[in-house]
């Protein structure tokens, strides 16, 4: 979780201190009212200057961010053979920040071969990105939010490939489940949707399906007649560090480490497959996290975070489920707000939001899902209490966007308070990360043993 009030500016993201020139000081003195309205680093005449540049490579997409004191105007065009993207930044001059951009592209960046920045003509800086493969670029600007000033964002998505995670999963699905024809799939879906009582029993299923599931079915144990899919959602990432501890620990780093450990533990069970919504340091919009969980037909969704509060002595673990009304406590509401603000911080182009998601959020038949989520949360609290103090003895409820899959039991776990020096010290150790992962694994196993997932009848969402 993120609390802006205690989040220091991480060093990596820090703009260089502005060293005012003598002339600037005189001008400022002559018009001192400007000081209260002109952001740090801005030239006295209001022209933008670049204060920071960042590159966030990942398999899903690579993001280049150029942060400036005023909105940048730009033109973009693509060139073929070889694949290149050209972005002209207008009304600015090259500076050391822009010059440093080329060096920030890593050799193993999945999409960018190299990047050059240079003065194209007076007042125009040209960025040329040589691509390793054909990409679908999205270039857009974001207004200031939290500690960030204006940002120009260049997102490079693969042109020919869906999300590699989803491609991998669909390959796995082909291996793990019999290929039903489209009409069979639809018939099965229709039957379950319209007349659940008449779903075919195991003995009546098509031969192909039985063959593919040899070790079914004792419903009293964790074993079920199909694979269980668990989606783990390490919070934040990339531009969005989440909360930052007093010792400088990033929430986004700790929660990814715990999620990876939990994935390894859960996959010791051959009936469980685990999908991470992000497996690297890059930003994933909240809506996309939910969409991924729905696309893989998750049986359980767990978002993993570390808490923060203004009071350094705040401590303990918490578990949240979605509330059907507004937040159940002031603190929960505050947390929900700062959590949802992550989309702005990470920078989602609002008009690109998935209308499907908007529909889903409107079309909530969530009461039973929330009940399941509360049961899941209660089991998780029981396990967490073995390794840490509980911040609240009950499952809290709030309007977190990542918990809004209408058909997937979903909880958000605040592992501990990263703002508490003692808990931050624990969170960074491998030993405690493993202990936390083990507690979460036990909770998930107990939940599925007590409440086995239903036979799969749904089509994947689109
Ligand atoms: Zn968080």
């Amino acid at each position: 979780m993120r609390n802006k009030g205690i989040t220091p500016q991480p060093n990596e993201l820090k703009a260089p201190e502005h060293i005012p020139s003598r002339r600037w000081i005189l001008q400022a003195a002559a018009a001192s009212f400007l000081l209260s309205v002109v952001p740090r680093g801005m030239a006295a005449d209001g022209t933008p200057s670049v204060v920071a540049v960042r590159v966030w490579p990942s398999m899903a997409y690579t993001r280049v961010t150029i942060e400036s004191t005023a909105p940048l105007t730009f033109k973009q065009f693509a060139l073929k053979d070889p694949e290149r993207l050209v972005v002209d930044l207008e009304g600015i001059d090259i500076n050391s920040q822009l010059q440093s951009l080329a060096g920030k592209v890593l050799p193993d960046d999945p999409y960018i071969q190299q990047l050059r920045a240079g003065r194209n003509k007076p007042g125009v800086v040209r960025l040329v990105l040589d691509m390793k493969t054909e990409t679908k670029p999205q270039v857009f600007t974001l207004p200031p939010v939290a500690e960030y000033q204006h940002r120009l964002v260049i997102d490079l998505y693969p042109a020919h490939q869906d999300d590699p995670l989803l491609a991998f999963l669909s390959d796995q699905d082909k291996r793990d489940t019999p290929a039903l024809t489209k009409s069979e799939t639809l018939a099965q879906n229709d039957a379950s949707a319209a007349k659940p009582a008449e779903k075919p029993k195991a003995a009546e299923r098509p031969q192909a399906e039985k063959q593919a599931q040899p070790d079914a079915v004792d419903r009293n144990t964790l074993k079920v007649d199909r694979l269980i899919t668990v989606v783990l959602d390490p919070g934040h990432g990339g531009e969005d560090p989440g909360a930052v501890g007093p010792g400088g620990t990033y929430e986004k780093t700790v929660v990814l480490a715990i999620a990876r450990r939990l994935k390894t533990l859960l996959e010791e069970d051959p009936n469980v497959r685990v999908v991470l919504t992000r497996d690297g340091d890059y930003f994933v919009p909240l809506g996309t996290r939910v969409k991924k969980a729905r696309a893989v037909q998750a049986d359980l969704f767990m978002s993993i975070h570390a808490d923060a509060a203004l009071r350094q002595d705040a401590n303990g673990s918490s578990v949240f489920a979605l509330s059907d009304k507004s937040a159940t406590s002031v603190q929960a509401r505050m947390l929900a707000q700062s959590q949802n603000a992550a989309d702005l911080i990470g920078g989602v182009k609002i008009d690109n939001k998935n209308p499907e998601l908007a529909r889903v959020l409107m079309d909530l038949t969530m009461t039973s899902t929330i009940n399941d989520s509360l049961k899941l949360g209660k089991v998780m609290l029981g396990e967490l209490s073995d390794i840490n103090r509980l911040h609240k003895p009950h499952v809290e409820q709030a309007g977190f966007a990542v918990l809004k899959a209408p058909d997937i039991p979903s909880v958000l776990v605040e592992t501990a308070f990263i703002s508490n020096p003692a808990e931050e010290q624990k969170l960074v150790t491998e030993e405690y990360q493993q202990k936390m992962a083990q507690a979460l694994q036990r909770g998930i196993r107990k939940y599925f043993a007590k409440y086995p997932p239903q036979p799969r009848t749904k089509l994947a969402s689109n």
Side-chain angles (χ1 to χ4, degrees):
M1 201 54 50
R2 177 194 183 82
N3 183 318
K4 280 179 221 150
I6 61 122
T7 305
Q9 182 141 321
N11 288 333
E12 186 274 329
L13 304 176
K14 200 173 273 178
E17 291 302 315
H18 178 72
I19 302 166
S21 71
R22 189 180 161 80
R23 193 170 66 107
W24 190 88
I25 291 169
L26 292 172
Q27 281 175 343
S32 61
F33 68 92
L34 271 178
L35 286 174
S36 60
V37 294
V38 176
R40 80 186 138 84
M42 180 178 273
D45 61 1
T47 56
S49 70
V50 172
V51 294
V53 296
R54 297 178 286 276
V55 180
W56 302 100
S58 77
M59 283 311 293
Y61 70 108
T62 288
R63 167 168 290 190
V64 177
T65 309
I66 298 166
E67 189 177 349
S68 57
T69 53
L72 294 175
T73 48
F74 64 94
K75 289 203 180 91
Q76 66 177 101
F77 56 95
L79 297 168
K80 292 262 170 203
D81 300 318
E83 298 283 336
R84 280 154 293 162
L85 172 69
V86 179
V87 181
D88 282 341
L89 308 175
E90 298 172 337
I92 64 164
D93 282 314
I94 190 91
N95 68 4
S96 61
Q97 285 295 331
L98 282 166
Q99 277 164 342
S100 74
L101 194 49
K104 299 203 170 178
V105 175
L106 301 176
D108 61 352
D109 188 297
Y111 302 108
I112 306 176
Q113 180 70 46
Q114 65 167 345
L115 187 158
R116 285 161 283 147
R119 187 166 183 259
N120 181 241
K121 56 187 173 189
V124 177
V125 172
R126 172 163 288 185
L127 307 179
V128 181
L129 292 81
D130 297 335
M131 300 301 169
K132 289 180 176 170
T133 176
E134 197 183 339
T135 58
K136 271 190 286 191
Q138 286 196 0
V139 188
F140 55 96
T141 57
L142 291 166
V145 64
E147 63 261 44
Y148 294 114
Q149 302 192 48
H150 294 270
R151 286 173 292 165
L152 176 91
V153 175
I154 303 169
D155 283 348
L156 301 159
Y157 291 91
H160 290 303
Q161 182 191 19
D162 295 331
D163 188 328
L165 165 74
L166 299 184
F168 166 75
L169 285 167
S170 72
D171 283 352
Q172 271 211 330
D173 276 345
K174 280 175 207 143
R175 279 209 321 276
D176 293 337
T177 57
L180 295 180
T181 65
K182 196 180 175 194
S183 61
E184 281 173 323
T185 313
L186 290 172
Q188 198 181 40
N189 195 55
D190 283 347
S192 61
K195 292 172 281 187
E198 291 175 25
K199 260 185 302 191
K201 294 190 177 80
E204 299 162 0
R205 281 184 198 145
Q207 193 59 27
E209 192 173 349
K210 277 198 283 192
Q211 280 169 351
Q213 296 164 343
D215 57 355
V217 181
D218 178 357
R219 310 308 303 279
N220 294 323
T221 72
L222 183 55
K223 282 219 170 82
V224 290
D225 61 351
R226 63 171 175 81
L227 217 51
I228 295 176
T229 302
V230 174
V231 170
L232 301 178
D233 175 48
H236 313 279
E239 289 277 294
D240 173 15
V244 183
T249 309
Y250 286 3
E251 176 185 358
K252 66 175 182 178
T253 311
V254 168
V255 297
L256 179 59
I258 293 171
R260 283 173 169 162
R261 287 172 183 276
L262 178 55
K263 174 178 161 68
T264 302
L265 290 170
L266 287 168
E267 287 185 337
E268 287 171 4
D269 190 322
N271 286 323
V272 176
R273 70 172 176 180
V274 178
V275 174
L276 298 177
T277 56
R278 70 171 175 97
D279 193 6
D281 186 14
Y282 59 97
F283 177 75
V284 181
L286 300 175
T288 303
R289 298 169 191 248
V290 177
K291 199 179 159 200
K292 282 185 178 179
R294 300 197 73 235
V296 300
Q297 297 181 276
D299 297 293
L300 185 156
F301 179 92
M302 180 176 290
S303 193
I304 301 174
H305 288 257
D307 217 338
L310 289 171
R311 290 176 52 125
Q312 282 216 338
D313 59 350
N315 66 78
S317 306
S318 326
V319 178
F320 287 84
L322 188 69
S323 65
D324 34 10
K325 299 173 206 138
S326 57
T328 50
S329 72
V330 172
Q331 190 188 18
R333 191 157 59 240
M334 279 170 52
L335 286 169
Q337 280 165 357
S338 63
Q339 184 61 21
N340 294 345
D343 260 358
L344 291 172
I345 293 162
V348 187
K349 200 178 172 189
I350 297 301
D351 59 2
N352 270 1
K353 276 207 168 160
N354 185 353
E356 157 76 2
L357 185 62
R359 187 190 65 74
V360 163
L361 298 184
M362 302 278 281
D363 181 23
L364 300 179
T365 51
M366 297 199 66
T367 308
S368 81
T369 301
I370 289 178
N371 282 338
D372 288 344
S373 303
L374 289 169
K375 288 176 195 163
L376 169 62
K378 202 174 164 191
V379 176
M380 300 315 298
L381 279 178
E383 296 304 319
L384 288 166
S385 68
D386 285 349
I387 64 157
N388 199 17
R389 188 184 163 275
L390 295 183
H391 185 63
K392 290 276 171 64
H394 56 268
V395 181
E396 295 177 82
Q397 290 183 263
F400 294 131
V402 286
L403 300 182
K404 286 185 176 171
D407 47 1
I408 304 169
S410 302
V411 291
L412 186 149
V413 174
E414 297 283 7
T415 49
F417 274 78
I418 203 168
S419 55
N420 178 302
E423 292 201 340
E424 180 191 22
Q425 280 313 304
K426 287 202 283 184
L427 281 171
V428 295
T429 66
E430 291 190 6
E431 189 193 357
Y432 191 76
Q433 289 172 1
Q434 186 69 11
K435 237 168 121 176
M436 180 59 66
Q438 283 163 342
L440 298 175
Q441 180 212 17
R442 287 195 303 272
I444 290 170
R445 286 184 64 97
K446 279 189 185 171
Y447 173 75
F448 280 128
K450 210 170 167 186
Y451 310 102
Q454 296 303 302
R456 177 149 288 158
T457 54
K458 292 176 287 190
L459 288 176
S461 64
N462 50 20

